[in-house]
Amino acid sequence: MSRYVIRGGNRLEGTIRVNGSKNAVLALLPACLLSEGTCVLHDVPKLSDVYWMLQVLKHLGADVDMRGSVVTVEGKGITQNEVPNSLACRIRASNLVLGPMIARCGWGKVAYPGGCSIGSRPMDEHLRGLKQLGASLTEKHGFIEGSAKQLTGNEIYLDFPSVGATENLMMAAVLAQGNTLIHNAAREPEVVELQNFLCAMGAKIKGAGTSGIAVEGVRSLGGAEHRVIPDRIEAGTFLTIAAATRSDVVVSNVILEHVEAVVAKLREFGTKLNIYENNEIRVRQTKRLRGVDCKTMPYPGFPTDMQAPFMTLMSLADGVGVMSETVFENRFKHVDELARMGANIRVEGRAAVVKGVKSLSGACVMASDLRAGAALVAAGLAAEGITEIDGVHYIDRGYEALDHRLREIGGDIVRI
Ligand code: UD1
């Protein structure tokens, strides 16, 4: 069990590079199961979630290799069709292998997935869509089992633009017979990334990035080589840390379009930002921020994954701000921990009223999930005194060597 020990108050200076996107990789890896060829992914971050997804693929019989940030997957030898509970409980995204397995092998079985505890995360949208593509599904003993001799294209309306459901259905539909239309699809950049990768493998898909995705089924897919997009949530986290600590930091390897909502909100807070054409954003913060309201929404709205880190900013701002969480129902577990550090936050249902304080003070706190952990790191770096954060394994799910990278720009943070 590791913990971070942070001595707050340092002004950070220098350049920090954003790694490849965790959520993109967690969809691209299951997509590799659709092909018997060789798939190569570049700029894959070393994260525990990625490690567990690779274990899932290995368990299913794929040949998997990770050297540095390059991952190679050969899907020829898929022999297993079942993801056991011991693997599925490690990551929520393990459910993304169901669509590809039914499409490629005609049968698949996954234990109900685990992941961060941020509210109930049902799979009804995934399952309804798979049924509409012709799969027979049974849910028993904590497993979901699906089969179909041949999936058939259909018109699917999602009740909510779920990222995972959109991805699962795209992957199932690429090998279905005929055409599929997914309406009210998620528009997240990771969905566009999946489309690009699948098309490089030989799929015929259009429309990702809009709410309507059209898939024309093909008989088989080949291998592909692909560079993963930068992680927009990691970029947003670094910008937030720089603003919270009133620092001078350049965040590099950012796709500007992917962080527009976050940048717009940071500007509303009064963050001084320069945007450069070479995919860099510089934060030069000297003054205290002002409190503003914020509401999480599916993309291109403000991302729910940035809600917790932004609560740290709101806690330090001058004035009152309201954070409304509309995507997940139980994503305010970081509030009690920020309160231990002196934050003034009142939760009312799915909204949190944050009254800014002049400074936070170091304390012993617990990361209850990945982004809550990032919020506490930002708070610890900005606070007076020493903060100890338990539950670092949550942070490892989504940030590679965070302590090391923050130390390189002057953060006083060590892992014990
Ligand atoms: C993905 C991201 C996660 C991000 C989330 C929302 C990955 C690996 N994870 O998670 O970081 O926070 O998108 O941007 O990409 N829902 C249903 N039924 C379903 C599916 C979802 O009701 O079948 C609900 C969920 O409970 C939640 C909302 O839809 O309230 C959003 O979930 P979804 O977009 O599916 O998130 P994930 O794909 O799990």
Side-chain angles (χ1 to χ4, degrees):
M1 281 298 187
S2 310
R3 57 169 51 182
Y4 279 156
V5 178
I6 304 174
R7 186 185 295 274
N10 282 11
R11 187 161 196 264
L12 311 181
E13 263 179 32
T15 299
I16 189 161
R17 182 186 178 274
V18 173
N19 281 346
S21 159
K22 166 181 87 82
N23 286 350
V25 171
L26 292 180
L28 300 185
L29 288 174
C32 298
L33 293 173
L34 288 162
S35 154
E36 294 206 356
T38 305
C39 293
V40 183
L41 298 175
H42 294 266
D43 219 1
V44 176
K46 273 194 212 70
L47 303 171
S48 58
D49 268 17
V50 170
Y51 169 82
W52 285 114
M53 184 59 91
L54 291 174
Q55 294 310 307
V56 169
L57 299 194
K58 251 189 199 167
H59 174 84
L60 296 173
D63 210 343
V64 169
D65 178 60
M66 182 164 191
R67 280 168 208 226
S69 60
V70 182
V71 166
T72 307
V73 180
E74 294 209 28
K76 271 203 292 291
I78 304 294
T79 47
Q80 257 287 346
N81 295 50
E82 186 173 326
V83 181
N85 188 46
S86 55
L87 285 174
C89 69
R90 301 287 183 168
I91 43 167
R92 162 85 186 161
S94 58
N95 61 9
L96 291 181
V97 303
L98 190 60
M101 282 200 304
I102 301 174
R104 160 108 185 260
C105 313
W107 187 73
K109 186 171 172 184
V110 291
Y112 272 105
C116 285
S117 54
I118 52 178
S120 99
R121 295 175 84 175
M123 277 187 66
D124 53 322
E125 294 290 316
H126 301 238
L127 303 184
R128 199 163 48 83
L130 288 171
K131 274 187 195 153
Q132 285 173 327
L133 293 175
S136 308
L137 296 168
T138 46
E139 296 176 67
K140 264 198 300 215
H141 308 301
F143 281 86
I144 305 160
E145 195 176 330
S147 62
K149 272 209 174 105
Q150 168 70 62
L151 294 170
T152 316
N154 202 347
E155 208 156 333
I156 299 168
Y157 290 83
L158 296 180
D159 286 344
F160 181 89
S162 154
V163 176
T166 303
E167 293 171 342
N168 225 338
L169 297 175
M170 279 166 80
M171 290 190 276
V174 285
L175 292 181
Q177 205 167 47
N179 297 330
T180 298
L181 272 174
I182 306 173
H183 297 279
N184 198 22
R187 297 162 62 186
E188 270 69 2
E190 295 76 20
V191 173
V192 179
E193 177 77 343
L194 179 61
Q195 168 178 286
N196 292 341
F197 183 56
L198 289 169
C199 287
M201 293 166 79
K204 292 187 177 164
I205 314 176
K206 278 190 212 152
T210 72
S211 58
I213 297 179
V215 185
E216 189 186 327
V218 295
R219 275 176 174 268
S220 64
L221 296 180
E225 188 154 0
H226 183 83
R227 178 166 293 278
V228 178
I229 48 166
D231 195 308
R232 62 196 169 95
I233 305 301
E234 189 173 83
T237 304
F238 293 154
L239 295 172
T240 306
I241 289 176
T245 53
R246 299 194 201 171
S247 294
D248 183 356
V249 171
V250 174
V251 181
S252 69
N253 195 32
V254 186
I255 296 180
L256 304 175
E257 190 192 331
H258 294 174
V259 293
E260 269 171 8
V262 169
V263 163
K265 247 324 144 194
L266 282 169
R267 287 206 158 117
E268 238 183 287
F269 270 105
T271 308
K272 278 198 74 182
L273 287 163
N274 292 95
I275 293 182
Y276 302 112
E277 286 194 348
N278 60 349
N279 292 349
E280 290 184 350
I281 303 182
R282 182 174 183 180
V283 173
R284 258 183 297 180
Q285 195 61 30
T286 46
K287 289 197 189 126
R288 191 173 174 200
L289 302 170
R290 53 178 174 268
V292 293
D293 296 342
C294 214
K295 189 182 207 169
T296 66
M297 299 283 274
Y299 190 85
F302 181 84
T304 172
D305 286 347
M306 285 305 300
Q307 183 253 102
F310 261 54
M311 295 273 278
T312 297
L313 283 188
M314 292 164 84
S315 297
L316 286 162
D318 188 7
V320 179
V322 177
M323 175 62 85
S324 309
E325 173 57 64
T326 76
V327 180
F328 288 107
E329 66 193 13
N330 185 18
R331 214 175 185 178
F332 282 132
K333 286 192 178 161
H334 44 285
V335 164
D336 287 346
E337 305 305 302
L338 286 172
R340 280 173 186 271
M341 300 178 71
N344 182 344
I345 307 173
R346 198 179 69 246
V347 176
E348 286 178 9
R350 289 176 82 156
V353 182
V354 189
K355 197 168 172 206
V357 294
K358 277 218 165 107
S359 63
L360 295 172
S361 59
C364 290
V365 288
M366 175 77 190
S368 55
D369 67 66
L370 163 58
R371 307 302 170 189
L376 294 173
V377 170
L381 290 166
E384 288 169 1
I386 291 180
T387 297
E388 293 192 16
I389 305 177
D390 271 323
V392 170
H393 60 283
Y394 280 115
I395 300 175
D396 293 338
R397 301 177 76 130
Y399 300 91
E400 180 180 335
L402 186 60
D403 53 331
H404 173 76
R405 290 154 83 200
L406 288 171
R407 263 200 312 278
E408 287 197 328
I409 55 169
D412 190 342
I413 168 169
V414 287
R415 185 183 185 118
I416 290 179

